[in-house]
Amino acid sequence: MSLAFDEFGRPFIIIKEQGAKTRVRGIEAQKANIQAAKSVARTLRSSLGPKGMDKILQSGDGEITITNDGATILQEMEVEHQIGKLLVELSQSQDYEIGDGTTGVVVLAGSLLEQAEVLLDRGIHPLRIAEGYEMAAKVAVAELSRVSEKFEFSPDDIEPLVRTCMTTLSSKIVNRCKREMAEICVQAVMAVADLERKDVNLDLIKVEGKVGGKLEDTVLVNGIILDKDISHPQMDKEIKDAKIAILTCPFEPPKPKTKHKIDIDTVEKYEELRAQEEKYFKDMVKQCKDSGATLVICQWGFDDEANHMLMHEKLPAIRWVGGVELELIAIATGGRIVPRFQELAPEKLGTAGLVKEVAFGTTKDRMIVIEDCAASKAVTVFVRGGNKMMIDETKRSLHDAICVARNLVRSNAIVYGGGSAEIACGIAVEEAADRVPGVEQYAMRAFAEALDAVPTALAENSGLPPIETVAKVKSAQLKTKNPHLGVDCKETGTDDMKTQGVFETLIGKQQQMLLATQVVKLILKIDDVITAGRYD
Amino acid sequence: MSMMGNSAGTNVLGEGASEEKGEHARLASFVGAMAISDLVKSTLGPKGMDKILVSMGQGNHVTVTNDGATILKSIYVDNAAARVLVDISKAQDDEVGDGTTSVVVFAGELLRQAEQLVNQKVHPMTIIQGFREACTVAKAALEAEAIDNAGNDEAFRADLLNIARTTLSSKILTHDKDHFAKLAVEAVMRLKGSGNLEMIQLIQKAGGSLKDSFLDEGFILDKKFNVGHPKRIENAKILLANTPMDTDKIKIYGARVRVDSMSKVGEIEAAEKQKMANKCEKIASHGANLFINRQLIYNYPEQVLMSRGVTSIEHADFDGIERLALVTGGDICSTFDDPGGSKLGTCDLVQEIMIGEDKLIKFSGVAKGEACTIVLRGASSHVLGEAERSLHDALCVLQSTVKDSRILPGGGCPEMVMARAVDELAAKTPGKRSLAMEGFAKALRMIPTIICENAGLDSSEIVSQLRACHADAAVRSNMGVDIITGETGDMVKNGITECFRVKQQILLSGTEAAEMIIRVDDIIKCAPRQREE
């Protein structure tokens, strides 16, 4: 801790509550940061690849998550360390942007930092390292585009898409039925994709789960599933050609937002109020009925009386539907969300071919399925599985696969997996390094070294001798100039990822390199860490 | 496995958090899962023992049970892998209702085998692959072993009885299993395949012995008639309601009574009373002679209704009202303005009956003959609680069998058949996967072994005999463990059969859970949330 002194030699307090704060600076700070980042990356390293392992995460409340998804692991492990948190954010931004490759990006960043540490020991200035990394990343991204290939598919021929999704799913626990799952994902994406604008609105794909059954029972529903039941046990459980009124007002007497009191001081007023109350309910139900609705979906609750009157009018209703779901229903059925009963009109109703309530297992669990929606775009993947953890993990895996399919619809360039792209980039960066004058060339070489981390981890996780395998693949790539050679994790007998059909999206891979480089630069630039003391 | 550890001592996690890696993590999860499996192991099979569970809450409530799901639900588990097993047992309970112990024991045995393989340096992923292939083969073998008597009503009924008896034989009801099996089968047969278990109501009444339990067609409501009402109504027309009959408040927000003199209070009171009287009038105009409300009925409305010749029952809970609506075919009403529009429930006879000391209301001759009530009698509430759980298991299994009529011989026979199929596969498979398959077969054979051990029999002797019986794939054998004679016996002849769906679910969920635990190589525990005292 450095201290300042005044002209009489007395120490001077510059930072408030200086004593309570800890401070690390200079090379020591960099080393400590790198150490922390490495230890986070090391945790994820064993989850990479088709034979990657899972982690059990136990939250503060004792809730258990079992997962293989990098972003989820980091999010749930509640990292406290400031640099660790940067890595958590790194994997999250990869998740938001691309949705897949969240483990790979952290492993890459960890390995870049590991290499930087060696350079720091050799006395190279952190900023020069950062610059070298930046240059190398540029070369690598360009190389990725060079080795990338166009990937052809059409709405009629979704097989290539299915195979990409299978690559993503093969590292997850669902790989037992990856074929079925991949097909579901691709069908879901194709159902909502706007192929002309090359865009997919992921909000339209919902992934719902219910414990029970087998993984194979997972289905794609061409519509929406609500975890709700029909409000009155005796209403119709199946409505064909439903006209749906979507309401955000409760079936209750109005509650004006201004504070008010109604004083009852005479019998007449009491009677009047009573009549008024009755009328409210009647009007509400009548307005719904008059608009021609055959199903009412409401965001709020129903009064018992209103509920009965709806039943009486043969108007099935669903209550307590969440805002997000309500919007989704509105989009899918082409209806409008109506905030007041008075505004109900026939043209504001949504339409769906079939709405039904389905029951599961021996418990009284029920769900509502809305199928064949008018403006049908929304789809739901309904996941079944042995237990809750299984379902949660399947949902996460499906999310990843759906993101991959979406990325391919957006841009159909791909690179081959199995570490082949990283090795190709490493070779390109090393070549480029030789042409760079100055200290940066060391950093670039380090970058190339760091890229080897991904294939090494893949080989290690698959139980292959890591160094030997990577060296073999690398020399083979140099010799044959075939950038599709990678680590044969599944022991199929060929190193050519093109024949194995293992590939990833180009933007996903590019994003990984760019994001990892950025975070590493950020960490290298820090030379002073001041931690505030605990507030008493 | 790289075990560099946190060499620099940098702790990236929060205070109080811990991380276990690699071998340690695997060890922790294997040990935890096996501990759970060992815990429930002794309850397996017809000679399985019970457990006493003492709750931590007030009054140290005691439950005596043999039901795996109930035991696991009640214990507090910290180990993450153990939690997975608790979870599958719960899922098994929700899905098929029985086999909750077997699924945990099976998963535990699989993990025991996996642990040995990991120690022999087999990669966990290889083990998983072997298990998966073994599971597929085992499933096929199970399907081949199944017997289907769907076409033959009489045989099917006999199957159901056998299944119920087998399920009940491991429970407290084992001494009266014939009696209860008959009850359960009759109840399920009444559903006529609709599979709605809600229609079967179980009522516990302490007193008498288990043998005095009976099935009553129709519906029994655990309520009393209001005082002074007739105790017997023939040709009842029932109006079911969910409406406040105590004080029917005005629901408009902000309404309150504010008056300036006592006389006005009286007037308003009169108006309120009038409102209630009107409501009763409307109710009476429906033409019903029995009014059942979910909520309370105060004395005044009751009296008004009485004078109009309408008997009333108050405070039937949600389930009661819903069931009544189901069985009598009436609507549940909350408003009463349209007497013609609401359908009344009908029932030939409503009367008060006595079971032991308690009075209950019995609805017989209801419109829908599917519903029925099973009244359980027994010495204490603990016995009754366990009896209800056992009967529930049996009902669930029977319902599953009605849906999918395939059955299997019991007594560990299907396990032996599956083990043989898996062994055959292992013999043909090159590579380390075959080791995992052998392990899978061993785990399957552990189920009959444990059944024997729990019954105090010479398990190695009997299981090896069984193995010999099932050795030839071409000859179908129904041999299994016969606990009564302590030898092997033909299960189909002895009438020990099990439901196919339950067995299949045990196989699939058990493998799935084991797979999940084997895949783990890292356990991260976050700092426990600080609870405010």
Side-chain angles (χ1 to χ4, degrees):
Chain A
M1 184 75 45
S2 69
L3 286 177
F5 299 94
D6 63 9
E7 60 262 44
F8 304 110
R10 280 176 303 204
F12 213 57
I13 291 185
I14 302 171
I15 307 170
K16 210 175 158 194
E17 287 166 22
Q18 190 161 298
K21 293 188 163 94
T22 51
R23 186 171 180 196
V24 200
R25 55 185 315 192
I27 207 87
E28 211 178 304
Q30 269 143 357
K31 284 276 178 69
N33 291 343
I34 289 174
Q35 205 55 252
K38 266 164 60 186
S39 100
V40 171
R42 206 180 303 128
T43 303
L44 284 196
R45 201 179 145 95
S46 63
S47 287
L48 197 72
K51 298 216 170 162
M53 306 291 280
D54 290 4
K55 316 271 176 240
I56 292 186
L57 300 147
Q58 195 167 12
S59 80
D61 295 329
E63 283 282 311
I64 286 187
T65 314
I66 299 185
T67 183
N68 179 288
D69 180 54
T72 315
I73 296 173
L74 288 176
Q75 204 174 353
E76 301 280 323
M77 73 192 251
E78 290 180 14
V79 174
E80 281 273 299
H81 197 279
Q82 54 282 17
I83 298 299
K85 275 186 187 154
L86 279 179
L87 288 193
V88 175
E89 273 165 35
L90 167 69
S91 108
Q92 248 143 44
S93 52
Q94 174 82 13
D95 196 24
Y96 293 146
E97 198 66 23
I98 307 295
D100 186 34
T102 50
T103 313
V105 70
V106 175
V107 170
L108 185 60
S111 153
L112 282 173
L113 285 169
E114 210 171 313
Q115 295 296 332
E117 202 180 1
V118 180
L119 295 180
L120 281 175
D121 283 343
R122 287 165 72 179
I124 300 179
H125 192 275
L127 278 189
R128 301 295 287 274
I129 303 177
E131 235 130 76
Y133 276 4
E134 181 76 349
M135 287 157 77
K138 243 181 230 152
V139 175
V141 168
E143 174 70 11
L144 279 177
S145 319
R146 197 185 67 79
V147 300
S148 74
E149 283 181 11
K150 281 281 170 247
F151 176 77
E152 294 308 327
F153 69 91
S154 64
D156 310 318
D157 179 24
I158 55 170
E159 182 58 28
L161 277 178
V162 173
R163 287 183 49 194
T164 326
C165 288
M166 273 164 68
T167 312
T168 312
L169 291 174
S170 64
S171 66
K172 316 279 178 186
I173 194 162
V174 294
N175 82 359
R176 177 155 54 93
C177 26
K178 61 181 171 191
R179 171 91 217 171
E180 293 86 346
M181 292 289 169
E183 273 170 12
I184 287 175
C185 291
V186 174
Q187 276 162 12
V189 170
M190 293 313 270
V192 301
D194 185 342
L195 287 175
E196 280 179 13
R197 275 176 48 232
K198 291 201 175 237
D199 197 17
V200 181
N201 184 359
L202 282 190
D203 289 344
L204 293 175
I205 302 177
K206 246 182 96 186
V207 183
E208 278 281 346
K210 191 109 210 163
V211 176
K214 329 186 260 291
L215 212 52
E216 283 87 346
D217 296 340
T218 302
V219 284
L220 180 73
V221 178
N222 199 4
I224 299 165
I225 291 184
L226 291 176
D227 196 358
K228 293 277 175 293
D229 46 13
I230 302 259
S231 66
H232 194 288
Q234 287 172 321
M235 287 175 178
D236 283 342
K237 302 277 162 52
E238 197 175 311
I239 305 132
K240 286 213 177 90
D241 298 317
K243 296 217 174 308
I244 307 169
I246 306 161
L247 296 168
T248 52
C249 42
F251 273 90
E252 274 164 18
K255 285 181 186 167
K257 286 186 188 83
T258 40
K259 248 198 168 163
H260 69 285
K261 291 250 155 46
I262 304 165
D263 284 346
I264 305 171
D265 51 6
T266 60
V267 174
E268 291 76 51
K269 276 195 185 165
Y270 181 86
E271 299 280 332
E272 200 183 309
L273 214 53
R274 212 192 69 198
Q276 186 81 29
E277 185 190 285
E278 258 184 51
K279 196 166 159 294
Y280 268 133
F281 287 129
K282 276 193 190 136
D283 285 353
M284 281 175 196
V285 178
K286 191 164 173 295
Q287 274 159 349
C288 293
K289 193 77 192 169
D290 285 351
S291 70
T294 54
L295 174 70
V296 179
I297 293 178
C298 183
Q299 194 174 10
W300 304 102
F302 299 166
D303 193 89
D304 282 343
E305 282 179 34
N307 202 358
H308 172 247
M309 284 165 81
L310 284 169
M311 203 270 286
H312 200 93
E313 291 288 340
K314 304 247 173 319
L315 250 183
I318 304 162
R319 57 184 156 183
W320 298 120
V321 178
V324 182
E325 280 143 347
L326 212 62
E327 265 174 41
L328 201 61
I329 295 171
I331 297 172
T333 61
R336 294 267 296 277
I337 297 179
V338 180
R340 281 188 198 85
F341 289 101
Q342 294 82 347
E343 286 164 22
L344 268 173
E347 66 273 12
K348 288 184 182 171
L349 298 178
T351 45
L354 179 66
V355 179
K356 63 178 178 197
E357 191 185 74
V358 280
F360 300 100
T362 60
T363 46
K364 287 202 255 168
D365 275 341
R366 296 200 185 92
M367 282 189 144
I368 293 187
V369 183
I370 304 175
E371 276 180 87
D372 300 331
C373 307
S376 179
K377 275 224 136 179
V379 290
T380 307
V381 181
F382 187 56
V383 182
R384 305 299 314 271
N387 56 50
K388 194 172 152 286
M389 289 166 226
M390 188 75 189
I391 290 198
D392 287 346
E393 176 66 358
T394 309
K395 275 187 181 170
R396 281 189 290 269
S397 313
L398 288 180
H399 166 80
D400 282 8
I402 287 172
C403 286
V404 168
R406 176 197 58 171
N407 293 340
L408 280 175
V409 171
R410 274 191 183 163
S411 132
N412 62 352
I414 50 152
V415 290
Y416 289 90
S420 66
E422 279 86 357
I423 293 176
C425 287
I427 294 170
V429 170
E430 225 155 297
E431 265 174 33
D434 294 339
R435 292 193 294 273
V436 173
V439 188
E440 281 84 3
Q441 62 164 279
Y442 288 100
M444 289 180 76
R445 285 207 192 95
F447 190 95
E449 282 278 300
L451 281 175
D452 282 351
V454 174
T456 313
L458 280 177
E460 200 177 299
N461 291 345
S462 315
L464 303 168
I467 299 169
E468 206 176 299
T469 314
V470 175
K472 199 182 87 196
V473 172
K474 211 169 184 175
S475 73
Q477 272 211 17
L478 275 170
K479 213 180 285 164
T480 59
K481 299 266 174 256
N482 178 0
H484 305 147
L485 298 180
V487 178
D488 179 19
C489 298
K490 285 183 274 181
E491 291 168 62
T492 48
T494 169
D495 282 346
D496 193 334
M497 292 297 136
K498 199 170 180 178
T499 3
Q500 278 203 20
V502 178
F503 41 77
E504 292 168 66
T505 55
L506 172 66
I507 37 175
K509 200 98 248 171
Q510 283 178 336
Q511 194 74 23
Q512 264 188 5
M513 297 211 177
L514 292 174
L515 282 175
T517 317
Q518 260 177 41
V519 167
V520 168
K521 264 173 68 188
L522 187 71
I523 293 174
L524 284 175
K525 277 180 84 170
I526 301 168
D527 76 333
D528 203 337
V529 180
I530 303 172
T531 323
R534 205 156 278 223
Y535 185 76
D536 290 319
Chain B
M1 186 105 308
S2 68
M3 277 292 300
M4 285 177 278
N6 287 353
S7 49
T10 339
N11 194 8
V12 288
L13 298 170
E15 211 174 306
S18 66
E19 181 176 6
E20 283 174 89
K21 287 188 169 213
E23 300 293 310
H24 293 277
R26 204 166 287 130
L27 195 69
S29 51
F30 281 177
V31 167
M34 280 189 266
I36 285 291
S37 139
D38 286 344
L39 180 76
V40 291
K41 208 164 148 179
S42 64
T43 62
L44 195 72
K47 294 275 160 86
M49 306 297 276
D50 290 3
K51 310 261 175 219
I52 287 189
L53 307 163
V54 183
S55 77
M56 293 204 291
Q58 267 186 336
N60 289 353
H61 186 75
V62 171
T63 315
V64 183
T65 185
N66 176 288
D67 182 42
T70 313
I71 298 171
L72 294 178
K73 234 187 290 180
S74 325
I75 52 174
Y76 179 75
V77 185
D78 190 43
N79 185 289
R83 292 275 288 273
V84 176
L85 291 192
V86 174
D87 227 47
I88 52 162
S89 139
K90 199 173 153 278
Q92 176 87 8
D93 195 25
D94 290 347
E95 192 65 12
V96 285
D98 191 33
T100 49
T101 312
S102 313
V103 69
V104 174
V105 172
F106 179 51
E109 290 306 327
L110 279 179
L111 287 172
R112 207 182 294 275
Q113 297 298 330
E115 192 198 14
Q116 283 172 13
L117 291 172
V118 170
N119 288 342
Q120 291 168 26
K121 302 279 177 263
V122 180
H123 194 281
M125 288 296 163
T126 316
I127 302 179
I128 288 174
Q129 209 181 349
F131 278 4
R132 265 188 202 157
E133 282 169 33
C135 182
T136 322
V137 169
K139 198 176 143 203
L142 198 63
E143 267 161 19
E145 180 72 9
I147 311 164
D148 194 346
N149 278 335
N152 185 342
D153 274 350
E154 212 154 287
F156 184 54
R157 202 184 157 89
D159 282 353
L160 285 181
L161 267 174
N162 282 337
I163 289 176
R165 232 179 270 142
T166 312
T167 309
L168 291 172
S169 64
S170 62
K171 317 275 178 182
I172 195 167
L173 301 176
T174 177
H175 301 298
D176 305 306
K177 65 182 171 197
D178 287 331
H179 181 61
F180 281 101
K182 248 182 239 142
L183 288 186
V185 171
E186 207 170 308
V188 170
M189 290 304 260
R190 290 178 75 90
L191 295 179
K192 297 188 187 79
S194 77
N196 191 352
L197 281 185
E198 282 170 48
M199 298 278 228
I200 302 172
Q201 193 190 17
L202 298 175
I203 290 181
Q204 307 178 6
K205 281 285 162 214
S209 76
L210 280 171
K211 258 212 172 65
D212 298 334
S213 307
F214 61 95
L215 177 126
D216 201 297
E217 47 190 85
F219 183 80
I220 292 180
L221 188 68
D222 196 353
K223 285 283 169 263
K224 279 184 218 120
F225 279 111
N226 284 340
V227 186
H229 287 249
K231 307 281 185 227
R232 187 185 156 90
I233 302 167
E234 276 177 54
N235 290 327
K237 289 202 202 64
I238 308 163
L239 179 61
L240 299 163
N242 174 16
T243 184
M245 290 298 274
D246 37 8
T247 49
D248 201 352
K249 273 180 271 183
I250 288 185
K251 286 167 205 141
I252 292 175
Y253 188 70
R256 61 172 182 181
V257 175
R258 171 171 277 188
V259 288
D260 44 18
S261 71
M262 275 308 284
S263 62
K264 283 195 177 153
V265 176
E267 280 168 28
I268 288 172
E269 210 187 332
E272 246 175 26
K273 212 167 181 179
Q274 187 56 43
K275 184 183 170 195
M276 189 47 83
N278 288 346
K279 193 170 182 179
C280 295
E281 195 63 29
K282 280 187 209 155
I283 291 170
S285 69
H286 279 66
N289 51 12
L290 180 59
F291 175 71
I292 304 174
N293 192 13
R294 187 182 74 76
Q295 303 175 26
L296 288 173
I297 304 176
Y298 272 19
N299 286 350
Y300 176 70
E302 181 204 321
Q303 185 198 325
V304 177
L305 286 173
M306 193 62 216
S307 65
R308 295 287 312 253
V310 181
T311 315
S312 56
I313 299 169
E314 64 170 5
H315 209 207
D317 46 18
F318 259 117
D319 278 358
I321 280 283
E322 263 180 43
R323 281 212 185 101
L324 270 173
L326 269 177
V327 297
T328 63
D331 288 348
I332 302 172
C333 304
S334 294
T335 57
F336 308 97
D337 293 328
D338 180 14
S342 313
K343 224 165 88 198
L344 297 181
T346 52
C347 158
D348 292 345
L349 179 65
V350 180
Q351 63 174 340
E352 190 172 85
I353 52 165
M354 296 274 289
I355 297 177
E357 291 283 282
D358 294 308
K359 290 174 188 158
L360 302 155
I361 300 170
K362 178 173 157 185
F363 297 79
S364 38
V366 290
K368 280 194 187 166
E370 294 174 12
C372 61
T373 303
I374 296 177
V375 180
L376 293 172
R377 307 299 313 277
S380 73
S381 63
H382 297 153
V383 173
L384 287 174
E386 177 65 359
E388 182 173 341
R389 277 189 292 275
S390 314
L391 203 56
H392 174 256
D393 278 7
L395 289 174
C396 287
V397 175
L398 289 177
Q399 189 208 359
S400 296
T401 320
V402 170
K403 275 189 196 154
D404 180 347
S405 60
R406 281 178 290 180
I407 57 159
L408 290 165
C413 167
E415 280 86 358
M416 297 308 289
V417 173
M418 287 191 278
R420 188 203 59 221
V422 174
D423 267 341
E424 277 169 12
L425 175 73
K428 277 183 273 180
T429 311
K432 285 194 236 177
R433 291 201 307 268
S434 62
L435 293 178
M437 291 171 192
E438 274 168 21
F440 195 91
K442 263 186 223 155
L444 280 170
R445 279 195 201 98
M446 278 314 282
I447 304 258
T449 312
I450 294 167
I451 295 179
C452 291
E453 272 168 17
N454 286 345
L457 302 173
D458 184 351
S459 56
S460 328
E461 172 67 25
I462 293 179
V463 174
S464 53
Q465 276 183 20
L466 277 182
R467 196 165 160 180
C469 295
H470 289 277
D472 190 354
V475 185
R476 187 193 164 90
S477 166
N478 294 325
M479 297 303 261
V481 187
D482 187 339
I483 297 298
I484 297 147
T485 58
E487 285 162 3
T488 56
D490 188 319
M491 291 294 118
V492 175
K493 254 185 222 148
N494 288 350
I496 299 175
T497 48
E498 287 177 74
C499 169
F500 173 77
R501 263 187 57 174
V502 174
K503 215 60 297 157
Q504 191 188 29
Q505 192 72 27
I506 291 174
L507 179 72
L508 296 178
S509 341
T511 318
E512 214 166 73
E515 186 182 318
M516 254 175 132
I517 295 169
I518 299 171
R519 282 174 66 101
V520 169
D521 79 331
D522 201 334
I523 301 175
I524 299 169
K525 276 189 195 164
C526 295
R529 191 184 292 277
Q530 297 296 323
R531 283 182 215 287
E532 281 169 31
E533 295 293 325

